[in-house]
């Protein structure tokens, strides 16, 4: 941990570690019976001016403590109080900060940090799908026999809301094929959680796009695995999938939805990366997300088409140059080493400002505080996000098929605090091989889903990074020998 990181985070922690402040923050993390939200959320709303009145406890006890905490942490991060107030007018940013405060007060300052609740739950609400993608992590097609009922799903939503989850992304399968999809989205929105959708877009007619906007979907991620029908349809296993995806994408953009295009890069389509980015810009897409290929589900059968480490590194460098040269289309990646690449390409000077990519967004940090990316911490499986599968199984992420619990057997909130797998994933000192000794282990940590998919060990080195080139060579030899 760098000196700048330590000073900045300890500055934030010093106020929380005041025993009275710490006691009050823990005491008032629960929902206020009068204001109907977490007392910390109410206090942040008062601080930002998003609301101007609340009960006596929230306004006169909790709010002053939280206001001083936010102001102090803002100064440590080089942000003015006015900038902080503007940011936290957004209810989802408030919910996220509450989770950070709860995590630090509950678990202490760790590198990387663990929030009091996951920022994001990716919820595969059905395995039913109208496509047959070669790289599908869930081997989707037909619905599973014991998918959660509407009533069961509503109970899960209430538990996630009480825990303080900031966002839920509905995925699948194709979530739009679930009959109660819009009912579930409304329940998520009404619970104060940000609702998002991951879809193949083939079912997004103009009417569906309108309903998505009306029900409160704030983010639509659309899969696009080629710049032309030939490549995309080959990936997706159904002729016409490209035409349907583009039509759905256009309908979403026309309706004013925030659209991110996601693309899993392999040897099948890496040569079309520039063309895909140009297409995204032409279609007025808001973000582009490069997904790391993970050998799981149907993807187990195309591992020979994974990008080797040196080629992946060059792809990430190309994405970084694209972002710097053309910031109109922000690019992100689920490859945690994207942050490592950014730091290496930006340099470590004090004067300049760096954009540090994370799975959720690209954060801009002044040079002296770039190492705060260690606090954010790269791979967030089981730490900043988690997954719920159609029949209720809880996993570290959707690409990481290791059951750590089931919402029918225990509340998600209980699993979040108690799962030994989650706690292993939160401790970078437990990593093995090159990932353990890497100088970027707090910034990156490697993709734990890839480690599990390739080696059956979620603490193993990620063979996709150049630092672990020897493990990739080992895998290549095994593949050529037919031993995978």
């Amino acid at each position: 941990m760098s000196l700048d990181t330590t000073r900045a985070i300890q500055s934030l922690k010093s106020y929380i570690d005041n025993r009275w402040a710490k006691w009050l923050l823990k005491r008032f993390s629960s929902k206020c019976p009068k204001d109907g939200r977490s007392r910390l959320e109410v206090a942040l709303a008062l601080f930002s001016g998003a609301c101007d009145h609340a009960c006596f406890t929230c306004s006169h006890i909790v709010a002053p403590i939280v206001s001083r905490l936010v102001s102090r942490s803002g100064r440590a991060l080089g942000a003015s109080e006015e900038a902080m107030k503007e940011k936290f007018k957004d209810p989802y940013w408030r919910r996220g900060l509450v989770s950070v405060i709860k995590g630090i007060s509950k678990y202490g300052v760790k590198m990387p940090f663990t929030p009091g609740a996951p920022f994001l739950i990716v919820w595969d609400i059905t395995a039913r799908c109208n496509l047959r993608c070669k790289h599908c992590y869930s081997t989707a097609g037909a619905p599973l026999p014991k998918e959660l009922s509407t009533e069961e799903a509503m109970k899960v939503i209430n538990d996630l809301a009480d825990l303080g989850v900031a966002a839920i992304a509905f995925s699948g399968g194709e979530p739009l094929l679930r009959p109660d999809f819009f009912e579930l989205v409304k329940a998520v929105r009404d619970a104060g959680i940000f609702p998002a959708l991951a879809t193949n877009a083939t079912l997004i007619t103009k009417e569906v796009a309108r309903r998505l906007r009306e029900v409160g979907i704030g983010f639509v991620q659309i899969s696009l695995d080629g710049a032309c029908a030939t490549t995309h349809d080959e990936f997706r296993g159904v002729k016409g999938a490209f035409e349907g995806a583009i039509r759905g994408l256009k309908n979403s953009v026309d309706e004013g939805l925030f659209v991110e295009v996601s693309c899993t890069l392999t040897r099948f389509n890496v040569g079309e990366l520039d063309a895909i980015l140009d297409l995204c810009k032409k279609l007025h897409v808001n973000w582009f997300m490069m997904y790391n290929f993970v050998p799981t589900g149907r993807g187990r059968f195309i591992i020979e088409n994974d990008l080797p480490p040196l080629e992946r590194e060059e792809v990430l460098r190309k994405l970084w140059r694209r972002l710097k040269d053309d910031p109109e289309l922000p690019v992100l990646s689920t490859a945690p080493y994207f942050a490592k690449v950014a730091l290496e390409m930006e340099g470590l000077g004090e004067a300049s400002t760096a954009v540090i990519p994370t799975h959720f967004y690209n954060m801009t940090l002044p040079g002296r505080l770039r190492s705060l990316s260690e606090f954010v911490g790269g791979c967030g499986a089981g730490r900043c996000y988690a997954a719920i599968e159609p029949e209720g199984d809880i996993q570290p992420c959707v690409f990481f098929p290791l059951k750590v619990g089931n919402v029918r057997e225990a509340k998600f909130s209980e699993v979040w605090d108690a799962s030994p797998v989650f706690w292993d994933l939160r401790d970078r000192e437990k990593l093995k091989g090159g990932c353990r000794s890497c100088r970027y282990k707090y910034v990156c940590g490697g993709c734990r889903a890839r480690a599990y998919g390739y080696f059956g060990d979620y603490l193993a080195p990620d063979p996709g990074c150049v630092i672990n080139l020897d493990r990739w060579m080992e895998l290549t030899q095994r593949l050529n020998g037919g031993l995978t």
Side-chain angles (χ1 to χ4, degrees):
M1 188 190 313
S2 74
L3 182 60
D4 282 324
T5 300
T6 303
R7 286 173 176 168
I9 300 305
Q10 289 296 343
S11 176
L12 186 153
K13 183 175 183 288
S14 64
Y15 190 74
I16 295 179
D17 269 351
N18 174 287
R19 64 174 183 167
W20 294 112
K22 195 169 185 177
W23 181 85
L24 285 171
L25 287 172
K26 286 185 177 181
R27 173 68 177 80
F28 295 129
S29 293
S30 59
K31 182 185 291 186
C32 172
K34 294 183 179 179
D35 296 318
R37 292 172 291 166
S38 157
R39 291 191 186 276
L40 293 176
E41 285 186 66
V42 175
L44 281 172
L46 290 168
F47 167 78
S48 66
C51 74
D52 55 11
H53 66 277
C55 74
F56 180 86
T57 301
C58 288
S59 59
H60 288 80
I61 299 177
V62 185
I65 294 172
V66 171
S67 295
R68 286 194 291 271
L69 169 64
V70 174
S71 296
R72 178 172 294 193
S73 8
R75 287 195 298 272
L77 297 172
S80 69
E81 184 170 310
E82 287 307 310
M84 300 291 280
K85 286 181 177 180
E86 188 63 31
K87 180 66 70 177
F88 293 113
K89 286 180 181 177
D90 185 319
Y92 305 113
W93 275 93
R94 294 198 297 270
R95 200 170 182 88
L97 181 59
V98 167
S99 190
V100 172
I101 294 171
K102 288 169 65 176
I104 293 176
S105 63
K106 188 172 185 178
Y107 309 129
V109 173
K110 298 182 181 297
M111 292 295 162
F113 88 111
T114 299
F119 292 142
L120 173 67
I121 295 291
V122 179
W123 190 348
D124 291 340
I125 54 174
T126 183
R128 180 181 298 171
C129 192
N130 57 332
L131 302 183
R132 298 293 182 272
C133 305
K134 287 185 174 181
H135 56 313
C136 179
Y137 61 78
S138 61
T139 318
L144 297 177
K146 296 180 180 179
E147 294 184 354
L148 296 175
S149 67
T150 301
E151 182 181 2
E152 289 173 318
M154 292 297 182
K155 290 180 180 178
V156 174
I157 291 169
N158 289 334
D159 179 42
L160 297 179
D162 289 343
L163 178 60
V165 169
I168 292 176
F170 290 107
S171 188
E174 174 49 58
L176 289 172
L177 286 171
R178 180 158 167 146
D180 60 357
F181 169 75
F182 288 98
E183 185 179 351
L184 297 180
V185 173
K186 183 179 183 302
V188 166
R189 183 200 62 194
D190 291 347
I193 302 174
F194 183 86
L197 167 65
T199 174
N200 61 44
T202 58
L203 303 177
I204 302 182
T205 62
K206 290 184 180 296
E207 173 63 18
V208 169
R210 182 187 62 78
R211 290 189 68 191
L212 290 172
R213 178 182 56 78
E214 290 177 346
V215 80
I217 286 287
F219 182 98
V220 179
Q221 183 184 81
I222 294 173
S223 301
L224 196 63
D225 288 306
C228 63
T230 302
T231 307
H232 183 81
D233 290 359
E234 175 67 19
F235 250 84
R236 297 281 153 178
V238 173
K239 189 174 182 180
F242 181 77
E243 180 183 349
I246 296 298
R247 182 174 58 249
L249 192 159
K250 289 179 177 179
N251 290 336
S252 299
V253 170
D254 289 346
E255 196 58 46
L257 297 169
F258 190 102
V259 176
E260 176 188 84
V261 160
S262 64
C263 178
T264 301
L265 281 188
T266 68
R267 288 178 176 174
F268 284 122
N269 60 357
V270 67
E272 295 183 30
L273 177 58
D274 286 326
I276 294 170
L277 290 167
D278 291 342
L279 179 60
C280 288
K281 189 171 180 181
K282 178 182 176 182
L283 295 174
H284 305 292
V285 167
N286 298 96
W287 284 359
F288 172 82
M289 171 74 80
M290 188 202 96
Y291 266 80
N292 235 4
F293 170 78
V294 180
T296 189
R298 273 198 290 268
R300 289 293 306 172
F301 304 105
I302 59 169
I303 59 175
E304 67 274 14
N305 291 292
D306 193 6
L307 296 179
L310 292 173
E311 187 172 1
R312 179 180 280 101
E313 182 95 349
E314 184 49 43
V315 165
L316 292 173
R317 288 177 175 270
K318 175 186 285 190
L319 285 176
W320 187 249
R321 287 190 291 268
R322 177 86 181 215
L323 175 61
K324 300 292 286 185
D325 294 341
D326 186 9
E328 289 183 20
L329 179 65
V331 294
L332 302 92
S333 177
T334 62
Y337 12 87
F338 195 23
K340 174 191 80 73
V341 167
L343 288 169
E344 288 175 342
M345 294 183 73
E346 285 284 297
L348 298 173
E350 295 278 331
S352 63
T353 296
V355 180
I356 307 300
T358 75
H359 183 77
F360 301 105
Y361 66 102
N362 293 332
M363 60 182 184
T364 302
L365 296 174
R368 66 185 179 86
L369 291 177
R370 283 180 209 182
S371 51
L372 283 176
S373 54
E374 296 177 346
F375 184 64
V376 176
C379 180
R383 182 180 61 86
C384 291
Y385 53 83
I388 300 175
E389 294 304 294
E391 295 183 316
D393 285 350
I394 300 168
Q395 299 178 178
C397 88
V398 291
F399 298 99
F400 194 155
L402 178 61
K403 176 182 175 180
V404 299
N406 187 287
V407 295
R408 285 185 168 124
E409 300 164 1
K411 288 184 175 182
F412 181 93
S413 51
E414 296 171 358
V415 176
W416 182 252
D417 269 343
S419 167
V421 173
F422 281 178
W423 283 109
D424 280 347
L425 293 168
R426 295 166 186 172
D427 186 356
R428 295 285 162 84
E429 302 309 316
K430 291 187 176 182
L431 296 179
K432 300 175 182 177
C435 285
R436 179 185 177 90
S437 59
C438 179
R439 62 179 292 202
Y440 296 107
K441 70 178 176 182
Y442 299 120
V443 174
C444 169
C447 176
R448 297 298 97 212
R450 283 175 56 84
Y452 185 74
Y454 275 114
F455 301 115
D457 179 359
Y458 53 78
L459 298 175
D462 178 353
C465 179
V466 292
I467 291 171
N468 299 314
L469 187 59
D470 58 331
R471 301 307 298 270
W472 176 261
M473 298 303 295
E474 173 190 323
L475 285 170
T476 301
Q477 292 171 2
R478 290 173 57 202
L479 180 62
N480 291 337
L483 298 177
T484 56

